[in-house]
Amino acid sequence: FMYGRLVELAMKKTAWPAIAGLIGAWFVFSLVSDYLSRLTESAGDALSVRVSNSFIKSFLAHLIRLPFSFHKNQKMGRVMSRLNRAVFDLETIVTEAIFSTLPGLLTAIAILGVLFYVHWLLAGILLVVLALYVAATLWRTQSIITAQKKMHQIYDKSFGDIWEAATNVQPIK
């Protein structure tokens, strides 16, 4: 629909100032969009750093207060591996989910509203495609999670053994 309107507009000889205006508007919109994207990305990074630093401080404070038997029975490398992974996941959630996925979701909802306004069939097609995408994603999620758990267990053991060997730390009675 929109493409057809632009082609019709371009075919008219008197429409070139309008086309130049549209191109200029697109250019300005692109610059503003890029600036806002960079702004939200830096805000997400700053927030994720604050959240992860707070998490690390509270985790280490809790770790210090644990009884001696915990430190004697647990390899600190495995504990530190889990901490590193938790911090990475926390930062990913803040930067990707809040500052990346949420604006995309709101944009999709706005596009859906525009499509309902243009023609209800276009919106219906988009809803079916989105439903199929979500179903395919959820269908594969369990196998991905199972594989990630196995990978994390192997990584935690390897990292824990390396940490223990490299630091040569032993609890002192």
Side-chain angles (χ1 to χ4, degrees):
F1 177 76
M2 298 296 278
Y3 180 72
R5 293 286 183 188
L6 287 175
V7 169
E8 287 175 7
L9 186 63
M11 292 302 190
K12 296 179 183 176
K13 300 226 185 251
T14 59
W16 286 107
I19 292 174
L22 286 174
I23 292 172
W26 170 79
F27 180 73
V28 169
F29 179 75
S30 296
L31 288 177
V32 169
S33 174
D34 186 50
Y35 172 74
L36 291 176
S37 175
R38 291 174 193 266
L39 187 67
T40 57
E41 184 177 323
S42 64
D45 290 342
L47 180 63
S48 71
V49 167
R50 282 196 309 264
V51 169
S52 63
N53 284 342
S54 173
F55 176 74
I56 291 170
K57 287 177 188 176
S58 64
F59 179 84
L60 292 177
H62 175 73
L63 191 63
I64 291 171
R65 288 191 297 265
L66 288 173
F68 180 73
S69 61
F70 174 82
H71 295 283
K72 189 174 180 181
N73 297 329
Q74 290 290 328
K75 288 190 173 192
M76 292 314 301
R78 290 186 184 186
V79 173
M80 296 309 291
S81 173
R82 291 179 184 146
L83 171 67
N84 289 338
R85 194 173 62 245
V87 168
F88 175 76
D89 289 344
L90 186 63
E91 289 176 354
T92 301
I93 288 169
V94 171
T95 57
E96 296 296 323
I98 296 174
F99 287 94
S100 181
T101 305
L102 188 62
L105 182 63
L106 294 175
T107 302
I109 291 171
I111 288 172
L112 192 62
V114 169
L115 287 178
F116 266 121
Y117 178 74
V118 171
H119 197 279
W120 65 270
L121 192 56
L122 290 174
I125 291 170
L126 180 64
L127 281 174
V128 168
V129 168
L130 287 176
L132 290 174
Y133 174 75
V134 168
T137 302
L138 292 177
W139 178 63
R140 295 297 302 161
T141 300
Q142 186 58 40
S143 61
I144 292 170
I145 290 173
T146 304
Q148 281 183 336
K149 283 182 182 178
K150 287 180 183 177
M151 180 187 70
H152 289 319
Q153 288 173 349
I154 293 168
Y155 179 78
D156 286 345
K157 182 180 180 331
S158 301
F159 188 82
D161 293 342
I162 291 170
W163 176 276
E164 298 294 329
T167 59
N168 198 18
V169 174
Q170 296 293 326
I172 299 173
K173 292 184 178 183

